[in-house]
Amino acid sequence: MSGKTRSWWGWGNVEDAVRGHEREELDRRTAHLLPGADLTVHEAPPIESFGVGASRVEAPAALASIVSADVRDRLAHSHGQAFRDVVRALLGRLPHVPDLVVRPTSEGEVGHVLDWCSDAGIAVIPFGGGSSVVGGVEPRVGGGYAGVVSLDLTSMNQVLEVDTGSRAALVEAGTFGPHLEQQLKPRGYTLRFFPQSFEFSTLGGWLATRAGGHFATHLTHIDDLTESLRVITPSGVVSTRRLPGSGAGPSPDRLFLGSEGSLGVITQAWVRLQDRPRWRAGASVGFAEYDNGVQAVRALSQSGLNPANCRLLDPMEALINAGSSTAVLVLGFESADHPVNVGMERALELCRDHGGTLNESPRYTDSADQAARTGAADTWRSSFVRMPYLRDALAAQGMIVETFETACTWDRFDSLRAAVNNAAQDAMRQVGAMGVVTCRFTHVYPDGPAPYFGIYAAGQWGKTVEQWDEIKAAVSQALISTGATITHHHAVGRDHRPWYDQQRPDLFASALQAGKAVLDPAGILNPGAVIDPLNRPRP
């Protein structure tokens, strides 16, 4: 859409990679944070060096026009965008490459692909924008399959219908975030769903992973915005009824939300829209004591004010990404219906009750143009969008820069944070990676926060994937052991499976596996992600 070139190995667009003054500043800050780190830059290897073999399977003639066997295309569909994906690509280690990339343009073609692959024993990996950070689109499917197809839905990318009375839209699953908003804007609507991956992820990907958007409270998950789904499975079509709410048994929508393409391919969805916001307020609040900031956020989450942004950065996170020496709360309100001054003033009063101080006067705007935003909160927002590019730049310099997120009840947060810090620091010492742990809240609820932890460590080039895997295993076990979730909004994929299996009740796992056997009898859909097919070895 942008006319730019997507990177085949890393995040985003080639033209937007970190370079020049931004690279120099990043190196300076990294050297200050981690003195002695080796910041030698390593470039991605040439495509031909991967030695990708010929496809093991051949598509039926009727599908030939939508099939690609191009090596670059196949490599780009062989991994997601986690730290370990990026580094493995830089090291030339991408052992699991799909045999073909198939881009259907209709539900009929999706059904044809599933029929072919079911009959031929070919694994199918549904693929949207490829922004998975949990191994959700990696063709790591184990033995027993004749080949692997990456089913890229991005040719199905239109808003098909808008119901203005119900304020809802029927949207194809392959629609990227910016293209979706472009199609809604002339009608005065927005989905108001802006994950960090917004530019490079699709509606279908958000639905399949139960993604969380940028906004901290109220309608934060894609679940909240889903009215009905249409799903193509190897056994037939599932089309759920459009309803504002229903108490008619377990929700069929909920079965497929979060299923990560393991039960069927989501092709369309009716989603709930909102009027585009006009009034906004933003402020940045400092807290000398981090615990006071936590208590302020808890009070805000239970106040009923429902701020659009309520992102608390601990002192280290604030130092790295906002240039502050204290904890910082990035606070924001917005509305399409009324000015939000009263809500902001009450929120600031709550913050002051807990020792918060304003770093600058709150900003109020009366405009439907998001470009009107200014101030520290917007500096954070810009940094937020650039983070994946900075991550890639540091990953190419032997740094370990990765995140993991969770959610817990308020009574468990202190013990959770301590357990995660101890586990991460112990693991970093064991793997010989000097570094720091940061924490911020991305979403908050009346009964608990969603902490988002970051690891910044000086690794050893050539070994950073293994070093990170050790750290990841340690912190993941800490999450499960303290009663938190293995993921709040990044999905399960293959990377989270060992801990998701501990979190998930055993009887529910059996019921889900039985459901998969009905919907996907040949066990071809995204094997190894979320749930294993019956009668097949685990990848």
Side-chain angles (χ1 to χ4, degrees):
M1 291 185 300
S2 64
K4 295 181 178 180
T5 305
R6 281 291 302 270
S7 172
W8 66 266
W9 63 268
W11 183 262
N13 297 316
V14 173
E15 294 84 354
D16 296 326
V18 176
R19 55 174 59 88
H21 176 71
E22 187 181 25
R23 164 72 80 173
E24 293 171 2
E25 178 62 18
L26 180 62
D27 287 353
R28 185 192 66 77
R29 290 162 54 196
T30 303
H32 176 74
L33 180 68
L34 298 169
D38 179 6
L39 297 180
T40 302
V41 178
H42 302 270
E43 301 292 341
I47 294 289
E48 56 272 14
S49 69
F50 284 84
V52 177
S55 172
R56 295 168 293 174
V57 298
E58 183 177 352
L63 297 174
S65 63
I66 60 171
V67 170
S68 168
D70 177 76
V71 171
R72 180 188 178 94
D73 204 7
R74 292 167 62 193
L75 278 174
H77 285 74
S78 70
H79 61 88
Q81 292 298 323
F83 168 81
R84 68 188 317 274
D85 296 322
V86 169
V87 176
R88 286 184 303 156
L90 288 170
L91 293 170
R93 302 178 190 167
L94 295 176
H96 306 290
V97 179
D99 294 277
L100 296 172
V101 177
V102 183
R103 292 182 171 86
T105 60
S106 67
E107 289 185 342
E109 289 178 343
V110 172
H112 193 169
V113 171
L114 296 186
D115 289 344
W116 160 51
C117 291
S118 293
D119 292 341
I122 300 168
V124 178
I125 313 294
F127 193 99
S131 61
S132 170
V133 293
V134 294
V137 296
E138 183 178 351
R140 195 188 338 148
V141 300
Y145 293 96
V148 183
V149 161
S150 180
L151 188 67
D152 186 319
L153 275 296
T154 55
S155 292
M156 299 171 66
N157 56 22
Q158 298 301 308
V159 173
L160 300 176
E161 186 178 346
V162 175
D163 176 352
T164 57
S166 302
R167 209 171 60 176
L170 178 62
V171 185
E172 291 185 300
T175 310
F176 281 98
H179 189 44
L180 172 58
E181 290 296 322
Q182 287 170 8
Q183 293 179 79
L184 295 176
K185 186 175 182 179
R187 301 172 182 263
Y189 294 132
T190 176
L191 185 60
R192 194 185 175 271
F193 190 79
F194 301 107
Q196 188 175 37
S197 62
F198 171 74
E199 186 178 0
F200 304 107
S201 57
T202 63
L203 173 64
W206 304 339
L207 296 165
T209 60
R210 291 187 67 195
H214 176 74
F215 294 97
T217 65
H218 187 59
L219 306 180
T220 61
H221 273 266
I222 196 65
D223 312 35
D224 304 320
L225 301 171
T226 303
E227 193 176 63
S228 70
L229 296 175
R230 189 167 168 85
V231 186
I232 310 300
T233 82
S235 296
V237 178
V238 177
S239 184
T240 68
R241 183 169 295 193
R242 286 187 63 201
L243 295 167
S246 174
S251 166
D253 292 325
R254 292 277 177 165
L255 177 64
F256 294 101
L257 290 168
S259 64
E260 300 185 41
S262 62
L263 302 179
V265 181
I266 299 171
T267 55
Q268 297 178 8
W270 276 95
V271 292
R272 300 181 175 103
L273 306 179
Q274 297 178 67
D275 295 327
R276 297 181 68 82
R278 170 181 168 183
W279 289 276
R280 294 184 176 87
S284 176
V285 185
F287 291 90
E289 298 294 331
Y290 175 69
D291 288 343
N292 289 347
V294 173
Q295 293 307 313
V297 170
R298 182 173 67 86
L300 282 166
S301 71
Q302 295 173 353
S303 69
L305 292 171
N306 291 329
N309 204 358
C310 191
R311 193 174 295 260
L312 180 68
L313 286 61
D314 75 3
M316 183 58 70
E317 180 80 14
L319 176 64
I320 293 172
N321 291 302
S324 173
S325 58
T326 65
V328 173
L329 173 61
V330 180
L331 190 60
F333 287 83
E334 66 176 39
S335 174
D337 178 71
H338 56 269
V340 290
N341 306 48
V342 173
M344 173 58 81
E345 291 304 318
R346 174 58 184 146
L348 293 177
E349 183 180 358
L350 285 172
C351 290
R352 285 190 289 267
D353 288 345
H354 291 85
T357 58
L358 273 176
N359 298 329
E360 58 184 10
S361 298
R363 297 161 322 286
Y364 299 98
T365 58
D366 177 358
S367 172
D369 183 6
Q370 293 191 19
R373 297 170 172 172
T374 59
D378 308 297
T379 299
W380 157 256
R381 187 176 290 105
S382 298
S383 175
F384 177 74
V385 172
R386 287 298 290 169
M387 280 179 190
Y389 288 103
L390 301 178
R391 186 277 313 266
D392 282 9
L394 291 172
Q397 294 177 280
M399 293 288 295
I400 300 171
V401 183
E402 187 56 299
T403 59
F404 54 97
E405 40 76 48
T406 185
C408 65
T409 50
W410 286 112
D411 62 308
R412 293 181 174 178
F413 174 66
D414 288 342
S415 58
L416 168 70
R417 184 167 180 251
V420 166
N421 272 295
N422 291 337
Q425 293 292 351
D426 287 347
M428 285 191 285
R429 280 193 293 270
Q430 291 177 20
V431 301
M434 175 185 65
V436 298
V437 184
T438 69
C439 179
R440 65 181 183 267
F441 291 166
T442 59
H443 306 76
V444 291
Y445 305 91
D447 50 347
Y452 195 103
F453 295 93
I455 299 288
Y456 299 83
Q460 183 178 349
W461 180 251
K463 297 183 178 180
T464 52
V465 171
E466 292 76 15
Q467 289 176 309
W468 166 247
D469 285 347
E470 290 292 325
I471 299 168
K472 172 71 171 178
V475 297
S476 295
Q477 194 57 51
L479 297 181
I480 293 299
S481 298
T482 53
T485 178
I486 187 58
T487 178
H488 171 261
H489 60 269
H490 278 173
V492 174
R494 292 164 180 80
D495 296 347
H496 282 158
R497 269 296 303 279
W499 301 280
Y500 175 60
D501 287 354
Q502 294 180 49
Q503 177 178 332
R504 177 180 57 192
D506 291 340
L507 279 176
F508 177 74
S510 297
L512 188 59
Q513 196 170 46
K516 180 174 175 62
V518 171
L519 296 167
D520 177 24
I524 61 165
L525 285 172
N526 216 2
V530 182
I531 194 73
D532 298 323
L534 285 170
N535 305 318
R536 282 190 181 272
R538 181 166 178 169

